């Protein structure tokens, strides 16, 4: 459990991390953070990969100070680790810790169901339909990276339905921690089966969205997470 002091420290860190849009088109800390987190999640940076602060700062056209802030945030998220004299590297992935992460994510779905929902707009329904269509297209042209991108986008859409900032924040962190492990496992799975399972979740969530029932959306997604957890348990035997 996060201590009161830890919560305050994170609050200060979040305030420092928030930055203004750059009028000259330069990348903000938020832009860089999301870009690097995406690379880690989609395994462009494999577990154990070294990240060079100076090279990343040069790539994104910023000084090392904002890049250091970004790396500190990624370390807070558990995606990288920095050790004195050893540099910065992407954290490893262990089945036991990922299993625990899925358990917490399921509990957070309960919290999302009990939280005040945000309105489900026609724009949200349209975005969801486009995402479902993209998933269905994978049955014709199987693309594991595209599959991973769809799951990340689905994550953002679902957790954006809640007004509970704490639930959204923890869900966001835990989703990116666990997603990269799940994407690694795709190589050992029946990929078409995974696509069809995701399409089934899409169909049920679409019905819940059309009913404007966020509680039902959370329940459906919790069931999907429970299915993944059962699969992880099977693979551990």
């Amino acid at each position: 459990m996060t201590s009161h002091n830890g919560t305050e420290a994170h609050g200060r860190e979040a305030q420092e991390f928030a930055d203004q849009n750059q009028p000259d088109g330069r990348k903000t800390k938020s832009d860089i953070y999301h870009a690097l987190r995406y690379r880690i999640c989609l395994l462009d940076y494999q577990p154990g990969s070294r990240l060079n602060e100076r090279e990343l700062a040069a790539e994104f056209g910023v000084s090392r100070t904002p890049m250091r802030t970004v790396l500190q945030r990624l370390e807070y998220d558990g995606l990288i680790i920095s050790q004195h004299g050893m540099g910065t590297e992407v954290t490893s992935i262990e089945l036991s810790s990922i299993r625990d992460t899925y358990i917490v994510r399921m509990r957070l779905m309960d919290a999302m169901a009990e939280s005040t929902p945000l309105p489900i707009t026609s724009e949200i329904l349209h975005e969801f339909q486009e995402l479902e269509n993209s998933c269905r297209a994978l049955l014709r042209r199987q693309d594991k990276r595209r599959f991973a991108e769809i799951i990340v986008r689905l994550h953002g859409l679902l957790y954006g339905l809640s007004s509970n900032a704490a639930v959204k924040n923890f869900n966001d962190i835990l989703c990116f921690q666990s997603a990269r492990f799940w994407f690694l496992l795709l190589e050992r799975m029946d990929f078409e089966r995974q696509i069809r399972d995701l399409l089934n979740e899409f169909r049920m969530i679409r019905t819940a969205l059309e009913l404007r029932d966020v509680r039902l959306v959370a329940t459906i997604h919790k069931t999907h997470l429970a299915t993944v957890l059962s699969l992880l348990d099977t693979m551990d035997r």
Side-chain angles (χ1 to χ4, degrees), residues 97-195:
S97 62
I98 294 302
R99 186 184 184 282
D100 291 341
T101 298
Y102 270 95
I103 291 173
V104 176
R105 288 182 64 190
M106 290 168 60
R107 300 298 178 264
L108 286 171
M109 284 298 97
D110 292 332
M112 177 177 167
E114 296 301 322
S115 300
T116 302
L118 295 175
I120 298 175
T121 64
S122 58
E123 288 78 11
I124 290 175
L125 290 172
H126 179 70
E127 181 182 355
F128 187 84
Q129 185 63 63
E130 286 188 336
L131 202 55
E132 184 178 356
N133 292 340
S134 296
C135 185
R136 188 174 294 107
L138 291 177
L139 291 172
R140 299 188 300 272
R141 181 178 177 273
Q142 296 189 3
D143 183 334
K144 290 186 172 67
R145 183 179 181 86
R146 181 61 181 149
F147 181 80
E149 291 171 346
I150 289 171
I151 289 180
V152 170
R153 282 186 61 196
L154 176 62
H155 143 77
L157 191 151
L158 292 182
Y159 300 149
L161 298 175
S162 175
S163 63
N164 189 320
V167 168
K168 290 167 69 173
N169 181 56
F170 282 118
N171 263 324
D172 193 56
I173 292 173
L174 295 179
C175 177
F176 277 86
Q177 285 182 356
S178 57
R180 60 197 182 114
F181 183 82
W182 180 242
F183 299 154
L184 274 175
L185 292 181
L186 285 178
E187 299 299 328
R188 300 165 53 186
M189 297 178 183
D190 181 339
F191 186 45
E192 183 172 337
R193 171 67 182 275
Q194 298 309 311
I195 296 171

Side-chain angles (χ1 to χ4, degrees), residues 12 57 59 71:
R12 290 193 299 270
E59 175 187 347
L71 294 178

Side-chain angles (χ1 to χ4, degrees), residues 167-229:
V167 168
K168 290 167 69 173
N169 181 56
F170 282 118
N171 263 324
D172 193 56
I173 292 173
L174 295 179
C175 177
F176 277 86
Q177 285 182 356
S178 57
R180 60 197 182 114
F181 183 82
W182 180 242
F183 299 154
L184 274 175
L185 292 181
L186 285 178
E187 299 299 328
R188 300 165 53 186
M189 297 178 183
D190 181 339
F191 186 45
E192 183 172 337
R193 171 67 182 275
Q194 298 309 311
I195 296 171
R196 294 190 182 279
D197 286 348
L198 184 57
L199 280 172
N200 285 334
E201 183 185 8
F202 267 113
R203 280 190 285 269
M204 291 186 288
I205 290 178
R206 174 163 37 85
T207 299
L209 289 173
E210 290 169 348
L211 293 170
R212 291 346 193 237
D213 192 337
V214 174
R215 180 189 292 266
L216 182 55
V217 171
T219 300
I220 292 168
H221 191 55
K222 178 183 177 182
T223 301
H224 173 75
L225 294 174
T227 301
V228 175
L229 183 60

